Amino acid sequence: MKLLGIGSRINHVEYGKGVVTNVTSQHYWVTFIENGLETIDIDSDFEVIEAADGDVDTISFFEVERSLVNILKKWSDASEIVPIADKYKGGKLILQPADDDLKPYELPIDKFFHKIIMVRDRLRVMEQRINSSDLDEQGKIDLQQYITRIYGSLTSFNILFKSKSHNFVGQRSK
C-alpha cells in the first residue's frame, strides 16, 4: 500500500470527504468537511479521491490550507462570511405600493442581504460545476457569459457590501 501524501483527498466511510493534513507512521490526520479534524488509521476503510504525489513532508501548511479552502468551496454550499456595510446594519427594506391605502412591506435589510449572498454563492457553485462538466468548450463559454450577465444585473446591490472585494462584477467595457 502506497502512503498518501499531505493534500490527498479522501472519502471516509464514517466521516465523509476530507483532506490529509498530516501523516504519521500509523495515522492520517484528516480535516473533513462535515466533521473537522480526525485522526484515522492508515489502513482505515476509505476511498482515495485524489492522491497527492511527493514526499509527505514537502508541502507547507499554507498549501494545505489553500487546498482545503478550494475543496470546501467546490464540494459544499458553505458561504464565506460577508459583512454588510455599516450604514445598513439593523436597517429595513420598505416596499411602498403606489396606492397609499395599501400597507407597505418591510423586510430587515440583513435578511435581504443574506438572500443576495446566497444567490451569489449559488452562482459561484454553478460556475464551478460548469467548468468541471463534460460540456464542450463553446457550451462552457456560452454559460459563463450568461452568468457574467447575471452578475451584471446584480451590481445594484453592491452598495450593501462593506468591502468592494465582495462586489458583483459584470462584463467590463473594453
Side-chain angles (χ1 to χ4, degrees):
M1 174 179 98
K2 184 181 178 213
L3 199 60
L4 293 175
I6 294 173
S8 297
R9 296 180 7 202
I10 67 168
N11 188 8
H12 190 271
V13 173
E14 183 180 346
Y15 300 117
K17 291 183 172 78
V19 177
V20 175
T21 55
N22 195 9
V23 181
T24 66
S25 61
Q26 298 176 343
H27 298 100
Y28 290 121
W29 293 19
V30 182
T31 303
F32 292 98
I33 293 172
E34 298 290 328
N35 295 291
L37 183 63
E38 295 287 343
T39 304
I40 62 171
D41 292 335
I42 285 182
D43 58 356
S44 293
D45 187 19
F46 59 83
E47 167 196 3
V48 177
I49 297 172
E50 182 178 11
D53 293 335
D55 294 334
V56 170
D57 296 322
T58 61
I59 191 165
S60 71
F61 178 75
F62 172 77
E63 291 168 319
V64 172
E65 184 178 34
R66 183 178 57 196
S67 295
L68 182 58
V69 167
N70 288 337
I71 290 167
L72 288 171
K73 284 180 179 177
K74 182 174 183 176
W75 293 100
S76 75
D77 288 338
S79 62
E80 63 181 312
I81 296 172
V82 179
I84 191 168
D86 291 336
K87 66 182 177 180
Y88 294 111
K89 284 182 183 174
K92 57 186 166 185
L93 181 66
I94 301 171
L95 299 176
Q96 179 68 50
D99 184 348
D100 289 335
D101 293 335
L102 298 174
K103 183 180 174 187
Y105 177 77
E106 292 186 12
L107 177 71
I109 204 158
D110 293 332
K111 189 173 184 178
F112 177 75
F113 182 68
H114 176 70
K115 291 183 183 295
I116 295 294
I117 297 303
M118 287 181 359
V119 167
R120 186 191 66 173
D121 290 344
R122 289 180 180 149
L123 280 170
R124 286 180 176 172
V125 169
M126 186 185 307
E127 278 184 293
Q128 291 167 352
R129 293 199 176 152
I130 288 168
N131 288 335
S132 64
S133 74
D134 293 335
L135 285 171
D136 65 351
E137 286 307 308
Q138 188 58 49
K140 288 180 183 182
I141 290 169
D142 292 344
L143 289 173
Q144 284 292 354
Q145 288 176 345
Y146 193 75
I147 289 174
T148 300
R149 289 192 296 273
I150 293 170
Y151 282 136
S153 299
L154 295 170
T155 58
S156 298
F157 299 114
N158 286 345
I159 61 167
L160 298 172
F161 293 102
K162 184 171 188 170
S163 170
K164 289 188 183 290
S165 66
H166 292 117
N167 283 3
F168 290 105
V169 178
Q171 186 128 13
R172 290 192 163 93
S173 343
K174 295 181 181 181

